[in-house]
Amino acid sequence: DEADHPEGAAPAAGTGRTPAGTAPELPPLRQLPPDVRDFTGRDAERRAIEERLRATSAVPPIVHVTGPPGIGKTALALHAAHRVEDAFPDGQIHVQLAGASMVPRKVAAVLGEVLRALGVRPGDIPDTVEARAAAYRSRLAGRRVLVFADDAADAAQVRPLLPGEPG
């Protein structure tokens, strides 16, 4: 009966109710901004990024693109990310960290945003960064998801966004 559970929520098997803190299975997130259609050059760097992201290993592949503002770091990384989408069939998450701005985004806010996109109800999102990061890793467990964190201020802003397992 639709009155027994929120719209779109599937009842738990045999109960007619959705368990607290769970959400219906969502389709994979496809959050990458559009590809740079006229991207040219940087073939060696693009290939290196693609190879790293496609590599299988005991740890998640991490690619860090660095350099001064305005040289095309985001365009390069975004173009490579689009070219490896098939290696991440469970989704692509994009977060803008605003690290170069006067007010970089707080990791707790970023994790809250991603958890909502992953189907966690706002009232079920934990309060602390550590608990949010754990919930985020749990949501990504067993999935091949590309996480594109753009414009990080430092490693501390990115660390909670790293997956807990390969893939």
Side-chain angles (χ1 to χ4, degrees), residues 67-91:
I71 64 167
K73 298 176 303 293
T74 297
L76 169 63
L78 183 61
H79 186 63
H82 276 284
R83 291 175 54 99
V84 298
E85 282 181 334
D86 63 311
F88 299 92
D90 298 319

Side-chain angles (χ1 to χ4, degrees), residues 88-142:
F88 299 92
D90 298 319
Q92 298 91 39
I93 295 172
H94 177 264
V95 293
Q96 178 52 256
L97 299 174
S101 73
M102 295 297 289
V103 185
R105 294 190 64 205
K106 301 280 186 207
V107 176
V110 171
L111 285 167
E113 179 181 290
V114 173
L115 286 169
R116 282 188 299 280
L118 289 169
V120 177
R121 290 182 227 131
D124 294 330
I125 295 176
D127 294 328
T128 68
V129 170
E130 294 80 10
R132 286 180 180 200
Y136 164 79
R137 287 190 303 272
S138 293
R139 285 287 182 164
L140 297 186

Side-chain angles (χ1 to χ4, degrees), residues 24-44:
E25 188 66 27
L26 297 173
L29 295 177
R30 303 286 188 231
Q31 295 184 332
L32 291 180
D35 194 1
V36 181
R37 297 282 180 221
D38 59 351
F39 188 88
T40 58
R42 293 190 162 180
D43 290 336

